[in-house]
Amino acid sequence: MKLNGRLITSVLTLRGWWNSSSLLANNFSVFFSEKLDRVNQLNIQISQLCREFNENIIIDPGTVDIFPASRLPQTLHHLPQAHLSFQTCNFKGITGEQRCHERKGFLYTNRSTYLSSVLQWASDDEVRKLAYIKGNSVPQANLGVLDKLIATRHELAQVMGYRSYAEFNVKPNMSSSPEVVMSFLREMSKMVRPSTDEELNKIKEFKREKCGQKDVDLEPWDEAYYTAMMKSSAYDLDSSVVASYFPLPQCESWHPDVLKMSLHHPEEGDLGGRRVSDTEYQLPVVALVCNFSSSRNSSTARLNHSELETLFHEFGHALHSLLSRTDYQHFSGTRVVLDLAETPSNLFEYYSWDYRVLKTFAKHYSTGEIIPEKLVASMQGARKMFAATDLQRQIFYAAMDQTFFGEQPIPPTSSVVEDLKREYTSWKHVEGTNWQARFNHLLNYGAGYYSYLYAKCFAATIWQKLCQEDPLSLTTGTALRTKFLQHGGAKEPDDLLNGLVGDGILRECNGGLIPDINCLSNEMKLVEKS
């Protein structure tokens, strides 16, 4: 039987193509399988390194031994995990006889909260210096862990086709690239620098006045101590008096063990949740787990205002989830692009400072007296005193985060911190300290810490344009819910923001979006000076 030559050729060609395609498909399958395996391995390694970093902070917080004990204020002797210690001193008496005696000292574990207390309240310069240096030099093991984390995240990014982990993590966000983020940070830094330099000079002059020395310099361990003293002097604030108006049960309706709430609308029923039918939603379950210490001689915690602000901040996240109504669960609530996620929580911080809000619940724990408006005004004034320095510190943190996870290789992390502190802050770097070894936001955010600054700008704009006139109005609350919070991540973030307040909240920048800084600048009186 004769076969057509063209047919034979076609069949042979098809067979060759099929064999080649099968081989190509198999190769692709192997390639993607190996790539997926490597991505999984790297993610597991990253999780392990993050856990190790946190464990090291707990295992090795460092200790500070102070002699004599009188060098530490009596008010700080109550610090948890602190106890008296003794030091044996040998010396020769008048007769030449060797003698010894014990000096009573004070030893405490240098966890971040205790370090903050010592830096704020210890009047002895040497005690603060010792606490600052020791507290910012541990755990040494985390320097190696951080190096490994940076390298592992960089490899993950390259496997995924990106130049750096910063590019990999930032790409899906409004900013879209590390270049846009750094442009935004430099703009913020330029805006805030004149005011921070002024604040630094005021602190320096205050220290010189208190010390009676005209040429004494300002050290990093001086900031918390002298700013606290300046605030107290200017506004006569006592934190215990402020806390007396914020017993926890009045700040939230807590059950003795668990708080469980639902939010009900008179026409729409229970609010929040993922759509499961045309008329039904799967309602979310939201929990805030907080660690507030009970007050002395009372089982009821009385919050200082910083803790109240934290409670409002976290409740902003909870409301974002509670009020969300989306078709798909993975778009609900806080499942939004990273540089929008902190906006509701930052916005709700404003409510914790507004007297019109505070007077609805802030009542003295024993007398029931509503918090005095004059006291709130003093709190607000103290808050603004060094606001520029606080903002500058956040810009520095964000720049450090971007640099660590940017294109590799980078110098040792300690060199990066020293260089960036000089570039982005008005304060000196202390040789030998490794502050980054305790900064666990590097774990959760990894090139995303800048999102706090985005949120700060967005929240300032929303507050001024929508909420400031009447933060408790039904119109304001409805707008926040229906135009913003209920959509979660189901709408583009720029559409949400523009739809809520109109134009003037976002700007285009090199293919990305950055917040408009005017409202924040006006609020903080950060007018750039020539």
Side-chain angles (χ1 to χ4, degrees):
M1 180 179 175
K2 289 187 178 181
L3 292 177
N4 184 287
R6 183 174 295 179
L7 177 61
I8 294 173
T9 303
S10 298
V11 170
L12 291 174
T13 301
L14 181 62
R15 181 179 294 171
W17 174 86
W18 176 256
N19 289 337
S20 297
S21 296
S22 298
L23 182 61
L24 188 62
N26 287 335
N27 286 340
F28 269 122
S29 178
V30 171
F31 171 76
F32 284 120
S33 177
E34 290 176 351
K35 186 174 181 178
L36 181 60
D37 287 344
R38 185 56 184 155
V39 166
N40 287 334
Q41 291 170 7
L42 291 169
N43 278 319
I44 291 171
Q45 289 176 29
I46 289 168
S47 296
Q48 292 171 339
L49 288 167
C50 290
R51 184 171 64 250
E52 185 179 352
F53 190 98
N54 278 325
E55 286 175 352
N56 286 338
I57 294 174
I58 297 171
I59 294 169
D60 182 22
T63 57
V64 177
D65 213 347
I66 299 168
F67 285 95
S70 58
R71 297 180 71 186
L72 197 67
Q74 189 68 34
T75 53
L76 296 180
H77 287 203
H78 72 280
L79 291 174
Q81 298 187 9
H83 57 271
L84 289 174
S85 61
F86 297 91
Q87 184 181 69
T88 301
C89 300
N90 295 310
F91 64 98
K92 287 187 177 182
I94 298 176
T95 61
E97 179 185 358
Q98 193 76 16
R99 297 184 180 182
C100 68
H101 74 275
E102 288 185 328
R103 293 197 305 163
K104 186 185 293 184
F106 204 78
L107 177 71
Y108 74 91
T109 304
N110 211 4
R111 301 198 186 280
S112 58
T113 51
Y114 313 155
L115 175 61
S116 298
S117 297
V118 173
L119 292 176
Q120 185 171 345
W121 301 113
S123 59
D124 191 311
D125 286 3
E126 289 302 314
V127 169
R128 294 198 311 275
K129 178 179 179 180
L130 181 65
Y132 181 92
I133 292 176
K134 287 202 170 186
N136 288 291
S137 302
V138 291
Q140 282 285 325
N142 271 354
L143 295 177
V145 175
L146 182 56
D147 287 341
K148 291 177 184 177
L149 178 63
I150 291 169
T152 307
R153 281 179 166 169
H154 183 66
E155 183 183 347
L156 173 64
Q158 294 206 308
V159 171
M160 298 300 293
Y162 294 88
R163 290 176 300 168
S164 68
Y165 187 77
E167 184 181 69
F168 169 68
N169 205 28
V170 167
K171 183 69 174 177
N173 300 334
M174 284 185 282
S175 56
S176 80
S177 74
E179 291 75 23
V180 170
V181 173
M182 291 307 299
S183 176
F184 167 70
L185 294 179
R186 284 189 287 269
E187 180 184 11
M188 291 281 286
S189 181
K190 183 180 179 182
M191 174 189 76
V192 79
R193 191 64 183 245
S195 295
T196 56
D197 288 343
E198 283 185 9
E199 291 178 358
L200 183 76
N201 288 331
K202 287 178 182 177
I203 302 169
K204 187 181 296 184
E205 289 304 315
F206 185 83
K207 178 183 178 180
R208 289 174 176 176
E209 181 184 324
K210 289 296 179 183
C211 295
Q213 301 177 38
K214 293 184 178 180
D215 58 348
V216 68
D217 204 359
L218 197 60
E219 304 294 345
W221 49 84
D222 292 330
E223 181 186 357
Y225 177 70
Y226 286 107
T227 55
M229 192 183 299
M230 291 172 74
K231 288 180 179 182
S232 178
S233 175
Y235 293 99
D236 192 26
L237 279 175
D238 183 332
S239 59
S240 63
V241 172
V242 174
S244 66
Y245 290 95
F246 298 113
L248 186 57
Q250 287 172 197
C251 300
E252 285 294 348
S253 301
W254 290 79
H255 180 276
D257 299 312
V258 178
L259 173 66
K260 184 178 182 181
M261 298 188 299
S262 65
L263 191 59
H264 188 83
H265 190 279
E267 283 106 30
E268 300 179 32
D270 290 337
L271 295 180
R274 175 181 69 93
R275 185 190 294 277
V276 293
S277 73
D278 289 341
T279 58
E280 293 180 298
Y281 287 84
Q282 176 183 322
L283 298 181
V285 176
V286 183
L288 291 182
V289 181
C290 302
N291 186 19
F292 298 129
S293 57
S294 59
S295 303
R296 290 186 185 181
N297 305 319
S298 173
S299 60
T300 301
R302 294 198 286 273
L303 309 184
N304 61 48
H305 192 270
S306 176
E307 291 172 324
L308 179 77
E309 186 179 46
T310 298
L311 180 61
F312 272 60
H313 176 104
E314 300 304 338
F315 199 76
H317 287 307
L319 279 179
H320 202 177
S321 293
L322 184 65
L323 295 174
S324 176
R325 284 204 156 177
T326 59
D327 290 340
Y328 303 102
Q329 183 180 358
H330 60 278
F331 285 135
S332 67
T334 57
R335 295 176 178 90
V336 297
V337 293
L338 182 62
D339 44 18
L340 183 69
E342 292 292 337
T343 299
S345 54
N346 272 262
L347 176 63
F348 276 91
E349 288 182 21
Y350 281 90
Y351 284 78
S352 71
W353 288 97
D354 193 286
Y355 181 71
R356 293 165 295 181
V357 176
L358 293 177
K359 70 179 182 180
T360 64
F361 70 89
K363 300 175 184 178
H364 196 278
Y365 73 97
S366 62
T367 67
E369 175 199 11
I370 296 174
I371 189 168
E373 188 170 5
K374 184 177 179 181
L375 177 58
V376 175
S378 294
M379 292 159 53
Q380 293 168 343
R383 176 197 186 199
K384 294 174 183 176
M385 277 189 74
F386 302 102
T389 298
D390 292 337
L391 179 58
Q392 187 185 65
R393 188 167 17 251
Q394 297 301 314
I395 297 167
F396 161 61
Y397 293 166
M400 179 186 69
D401 179 45
Q402 283 293 309
T403 305
F404 282 173
F405 297 106
E407 293 190 37
Q408 304 295 313
I410 59 169
T413 56
S414 295
S415 298
V416 171
V417 170
E418 182 176 357
D419 291 344
L420 292 177
K421 192 165 189 180
R422 188 180 301 111
E423 179 181 356
Y424 282 94
T425 83
S426 305
W427 291 83
K428 296 188 294 186
H429 173 74
V430 180
E431 190 69 30
T433 57
N434 303 299
W435 169 86
Q436 69 276 16
R438 293 176 79 156
F439 190 55
N440 58 9
H441 281 83
L442 295 169
L443 314 181
N444 304 326
Y445 284 86
Y449 193 81
Y450 76 94
S451 61
Y452 277 105
L453 293 167
Y454 264 48
K456 199 169 184 67
C457 293
F458 292 145
T461 304
I462 295 169
W463 176 260
Q464 290 180 33
K465 293 191 174 185
L466 184 68
C467 307
Q468 191 171 45
E469 184 177 342
D470 186 359
L472 295 174
S473 78
L474 179 60
T475 302
T476 298
T478 300
L480 286 174
R481 178 173 77 91
T482 59
K483 294 183 178 182
F484 186 24
L485 299 174
Q486 77 174 23
H487 298 290
K491 291 183 69 173
E492 291 297 325
D494 52 327
D495 290 338
L496 285 174
L497 293 167
N498 288 326
L500 181 63
V501 299
D503 295 336
I505 192 167
L506 283 165
R507 290 185 287 127
E508 291 188 3
C509 176
N510 298 325
L513 295 171
I514 63 175
D516 185 271
I517 64 175
N518 286 318
C519 285
L520 181 64
S521 176
N522 293 335
E523 174 189 307
M524 298 179 66
K525 296 182 171 56
L526 299 175
V527 179
E528 188 176 330
K529 300 168 184 177
S530 57

